[in-house]
Amino acid sequence: MKTLFLILFLFSYLPAQNKFDSVLESMKNKPDSAQITVLNNFCWRYRNIDPALAIKAGELALKLCDESNNKAGKSKTLGYLSTIYRDRGDYQKAMNLTLESLDLSIAGTDWKQTGYAYNNMASIYRLMGNYPLALETNYKGLKIFDEHNFLEGIAFCKYNIGLIYLRQANFKKALEYFEKTVSIRKKIGDKNGEAKALSRIAELYVEWENYSRAISIYNEVESVYNEINDIKSLMTVWMGRALVFEKLNDFNGALAESKKALANANSFNDAEGVIRNNCVIGLLYAKQGKYDEGLKCFNKIKDMALNSSSSFLRLNFLESISKFYSYEKDYNNAYKYLSMYNLFKDSIEQRQKNSVIAEVEASYLTNKQVKEKELIQNDLEHQKKLMIYWIVILFVFLIVIVVIVFLYNAQRKANAIKDKLFGIIAHDLKNPFSILMNASQILTDKEWQITQQERDQYLEMIASSSKKTYTLLDNLLFWSRTQIKKISLNPKVIDLYEVLLNTIDLANDQAINKNILIENKVLPACNIFADEEVIKLVVRNLITNAIKFSNPGGVIIINAYRENSKCVVLVEDNGIGI
């Protein structure tokens, strides 16, 4: 840590450096997290005042983040440094830093930094001339900020979307997004962000030839930048006013503004500003007949422009120098650079088409993989549930077999009772097991094309039927024990209404399959003195037979009435009869 501070103290003592020195001094005794925050704030604040010093602050913050394993702080620092390198024209380095920031923010579930990373990627794509990809990436960031109602992030994204539309000459859409940005920036009290958006609106008024309105906005923006000491951003004001003066044929005024903008770009090592302003100044000299002066401007930036990773800057240079030679009446060179311009423009358009196709394909494949994973996971979960239900079914079958074998051996001589027992078991268990088997078959057979909702319904049917089958089996076991004298009857006062509710529930699945309605008209609190299990068995048999011999859409009515000291239970149906 001390070594890092000593290295930083060796820098030249400019005003910004003095400020940085005092920041370093003040944070010496603070914890690492606090130091990282201070350095990050300095990095962002001075990105437009002293980018070189801002980078040094960011690099020191990165080292502290690595030492303390502060991934959240590192993600933010990488984002800040990416912005600075992007503005300096080093798009590859900027993109690498942004991707690293994005990975860290996603891993740390830092939605805010994830949104900023997408926004920064979109800016880099825009500067490289890949507008479709820039828009797509920007909307990813905007979606995140919208979900969290984060106004600052929303403003950044809308501003960048406006810039994309501006570069595509879609001025109406550009104005829409810039005005939204101004509104949001005013709401959150961000003068710098508001001024930047206003400056872009002034550009639109230049396009619409409303020069007085454009100059008025530029003057307003200049005052704001001076007030907040955003020296670098003044360049956009001077470039804008230079264009207005040129449109008004005030070439001297245009030159004065462009030279101020160029000096600003050189001081901040802003590649875009250097190339664009030299192109403007070179053409202004040509319009004044000062071709030697103009050619010097183009020669200064020729290598920089043609080797730039920004397709926008390369196109700007080729188009401008072609115009320069046409003003000079050097038509051979004018045609040469115009041909280069058209060839390069065509290659960019083709690359953009390929990029869009590749992105769509990648998006499709990614979505497909995600969907496949989800389907596999769902299938595994359903197979697990299905396996549990099959185990339950198998267990029930085993119990039935054991009971049958036991009863058969115990009652070998009682053939009448045995036959009766088998008949009742077959009669009562056949339907619920049929439901279980049919539902399971539908779930396991791939030929059945069922929806997720239908799959869940069948699983619920299996679970319900398994539960009811177990209850039914328990009742049958009780009855069988009574038949072989292993248990005595246990009459007591019971509520007939409640007993019937339970019995109807066991038979309801079978009734639903035939679209038959079972109505329980017995009044609550209908108390009788009887054995509950025997009553359930008898009524269940009556209901099952009624269902079996009723036509689909029929009705079964269960009623009861008092007759002296007895209670008569009626199970009525409108079927064909037994």
Side-chain angles (χ1 to χ4, degrees):
M1 282 292 300
K2 291 182 179 179
T3 305
L4 291 173
F5 284 130
L6 289 172
I7 293 172
L8 287 168
F9 279 133
L10 297 175
F11 299 143
S12 57
Y13 289 92
L14 298 173
Q17 176 66 53
N18 292 336
K19 173 68 175 175
F20 187 48
D21 290 343
S22 64
V23 167
L24 291 175
E25 189 65 32
S26 67
M27 70 181 209
K28 276 186 176 179
N29 298 321
K30 293 181 179 180
D32 286 345
S33 59
Q35 292 188 39
I36 292 166
T37 300
V38 170
L39 289 168
N40 275 340
N41 289 340
F42 184 93
C43 178
W44 187 247
R45 174 72 181 82
Y46 279 83
R47 72 191 188 282
N48 289 337
I49 298 173
D50 191 331
L53 200 56
I55 288 174
K56 294 183 188 301
E59 288 175 346
L60 178 56
L62 283 182
K63 291 181 179 179
L64 289 174
C65 288
D66 287 335
E67 289 174 3
S68 58
N69 196 29
N70 187 334
K71 294 182 179 179
K74 184 175 183 179
S75 177
K76 183 177 288 188
T77 306
L78 289 166
Y80 290 167
L81 289 173
S82 172
T83 301
I84 298 171
Y85 282 109
R86 179 199 71 196
D87 291 344
R88 298 180 78 167
D90 192 344
Y91 301 131
Q92 189 57 56
K93 186 172 181 65
M95 182 61 80
N96 290 338
L97 291 169
T98 300
L99 290 173
E100 188 177 354
S101 173
L102 181 64
D103 288 342
L104 286 172
S105 64
I106 291 175
T109 63
D110 185 348
W111 61 264
K112 187 182 293 184
Q113 199 56 44
T114 300
Y116 278 137
Y118 281 128
N119 181 68
N120 206 19
M121 285 173 65
S123 297
I124 297 169
Y125 284 132
R126 170 179 57 79
L127 290 166
M128 295 175 72
N130 195 333
Y131 301 132
L133 198 52
L135 266 177
E136 181 183 336
T137 312
N138 225 317
Y139 277 117
K140 286 182 181 179
L142 183 58
K143 183 176 182 292
I144 293 171
F145 293 139
D146 274 335
E147 287 172 353
H148 294 85
N149 194 31
F150 183 55
L151 294 180
E152 184 178 348
I154 293 171
F156 272 117
C157 289
K158 289 188 181 296
Y159 176 77
N160 272 336
I161 293 171
L163 279 178
I164 294 167
Y165 283 124
L166 178 62
R167 292 285 177 257
Q168 292 180 315
N170 190 340
F171 302 132
K172 185 177 179 180
K173 290 291 290 183
L175 179 63
E176 176 187 335
Y177 278 93
F178 289 142
E179 286 180 338
K180 288 178 181 177
T181 305
V182 169
S183 176
I184 296 171
R185 293 296 185 184
K186 278 184 178 179
K187 188 174 182 178
I188 62 179
D190 182 357
K191 288 186 175 181
N192 184 281
E194 181 185 347
K196 285 184 185 298
L198 283 171
S199 181
R200 298 300 182 179
I201 291 175
E203 286 186 41
L204 295 174
Y205 279 110
V206 174
E207 291 291 339
W208 293 323
E209 299 183 358
N210 190 342
Y211 302 129
S212 60
R213 178 63 178 144
I215 288 292
S216 174
I217 295 175
Y218 279 132
N219 291 340
E220 178 186 348
V221 172
E222 184 178 35
S223 298
V224 174
Y225 285 148
N226 282 322
E227 178 187 343
I228 63 177
N229 195 32
D230 188 348
I231 302 167
K232 183 183 176 184
S233 294
L234 285 168
M235 177 175 59
T236 60
V237 175
W238 297 329
M239 289 174 68
R241 281 205 300 240
L243 181 59
V244 173
F245 289 141
E246 183 183 359
K247 297 282 187 181
L248 296 171
N249 293 321
D250 181 359
F251 299 135
N252 289 328
L255 269 173
E257 295 292 320
S258 294
K259 286 179 179 179
K260 285 195 295 183
L262 178 59
N264 184 300
N266 282 321
S267 66
F268 285 99
N269 196 24
D270 186 307
E272 181 180 1
V274 171
I275 293 171
R276 291 181 63 192
N277 281 293
N278 269 299
C279 287
V280 170
I281 293 171
L283 288 175
L284 286 171
Y285 277 134
K287 288 181 178 181
Q288 293 178 320
K290 301 177 182 178
Y291 300 115
D292 291 340
E293 292 295 321
L295 189 57
K296 287 178 183 178
C297 293
F298 285 107
N299 287 335
K300 281 180 188 177
I301 60 169
K302 183 176 180 180
D303 291 338
M304 183 192 303
L306 294 179
N307 293 322
S308 172
S309 55
S310 168
S311 56
F312 168 73
L313 293 178
R314 276 184 277 175
L315 286 173
N316 185 69
F317 172 80
L318 291 170
E319 184 180 30
S320 298
I321 196 170
S322 176
K323 285 182 180 178
F324 173 83
Y325 280 119
S326 67
Y327 292 152
E328 196 182 17
K329 295 185 172 42
D330 183 350
Y331 298 117
N332 287 331
N333 274 319
Y335 177 76
K336 168 189 168 183
Y337 284 105
L338 182 61
S339 298
M340 290 174 64
Y341 169 82
N342 289 327
L343 183 64
F344 186 53
K345 186 177 181 182
D346 289 342
S347 70
I348 290 172
E349 290 174 352
Q350 184 59 46
R351 189 178 68 210
Q352 287 180 1
K353 290 177 183 177
N354 292 338
S355 174
V356 172
I357 293 170
E359 285 299 310
V360 170
E361 183 181 14
S363 177
Y364 166 75
L365 290 174
T366 301
N367 289 334
K368 185 179 179 184
Q369 289 172 351
V370 171
K371 289 295 182 185
E372 285 176 350
K373 286 181 180 178
E374 290 176 354
L375 288 173
I376 290 170
Q377 185 63 31
N378 288 337
D379 281 342
L380 287 173
E381 290 176 1
H382 288 301
Q383 290 295 336
K384 185 177 179 181
K385 289 180 181 178
L386 200 56
M387 186 178 296
I388 293 172
Y389 293 140
W390 273 113
I391 291 172
V392 171
I393 294 169
L394 181 61
F395 179 70
V396 171
F397 267 120
L398 289 173
I399 291 177
V400 171
I401 291 171
V402 169
V403 170
I404 291 172
V405 171
F406 172 77
L407 292 174
Y408 179 79
N409 290 331
Q411 297 291 322
R412 186 177 300 174
K413 295 180 180 180
N415 290 327
I417 295 176
K418 178 195 69 177
D419 293 341
K420 188 176 182 180
L421 175 62
F422 284 155
I424 290 176
I425 289 176
H427 182 274
D428 283 10
L429 290 180
K430 182 178 180 181
N431 185 67
F433 274 117
S434 176
I435 293 173
L436 288 170
M437 292 172 66
N438 289 338
S440 301
Q441 181 67 26
I442 291 171
L443 285 174
T444 54
D445 195 337
K446 293 182 179 179
E447 292 183 3
W448 286 85
Q449 301 295 322
I450 60 175
T451 65
Q452 183 64 43
Q453 183 178 3
E454 290 171 333
R455 181 185 291 268
D456 291 338
Q457 289 174 350
Y458 279 115
L459 287 171
E460 179 62 30
M461 185 187 299
I462 290 173
S464 175
S465 187
S466 298
K467 182 179 178 181
K468 291 176 183 178
T469 305
Y470 179 81
T471 303
L472 183 58
L473 178 64
D474 188 55
N475 292 340
L476 288 173
L477 290 174
F478 172 83
W479 177 85
S480 66
R481 288 197 299 274
T482 66
Q483 297 302 304
I484 58 175
K485 308 289 194 270
K486 289 293 179 81
I487 191 169
S488 59
L489 295 176
N490 183 27
K492 60 182 179 180
V493 177
I494 57 175
D495 184 349
L496 181 61
Y497 174 79
E498 292 294 334
V499 171
L500 291 176
L501 282 182
N502 178 269
T503 306
I504 291 169
D505 185 51
L506 287 172
N508 213 31
D509 286 340
Q510 185 182 0
I512 290 172
N513 284 340
K514 288 187 69 173
N515 193 26
I516 293 173
L517 177 64
I518 302 177
E519 292 187 15
N520 182 8
K521 291 191 175 182
V522 177
L523 296 176
C526 179
N527 295 328
I528 62 172
F529 185 75
D531 186 290
E532 182 175 346
E533 299 303 326
V534 172
I535 292 295
K536 286 180 180 179
L537 179 66
V538 172
V539 173
R540 184 172 62 252
N541 279 329
L542 291 172
I543 293 173
T544 303
N545 282 327
I547 294 171
K548 181 177 180 180
F549 293 101
S550 291
N551 295 319
V555 178
I556 297 171
I557 299 173
I558 304 172
N559 213 333
Y561 64 89
R562 297 282 183 183
E563 188 177 87
N564 298 324
S565 61
K566 299 178 182 180
C567 178
V568 179
V569 179
L570 301 176
V571 179
E572 300 177 84
D573 65 75
N574 54 4
I576 60 175
I578 301 176

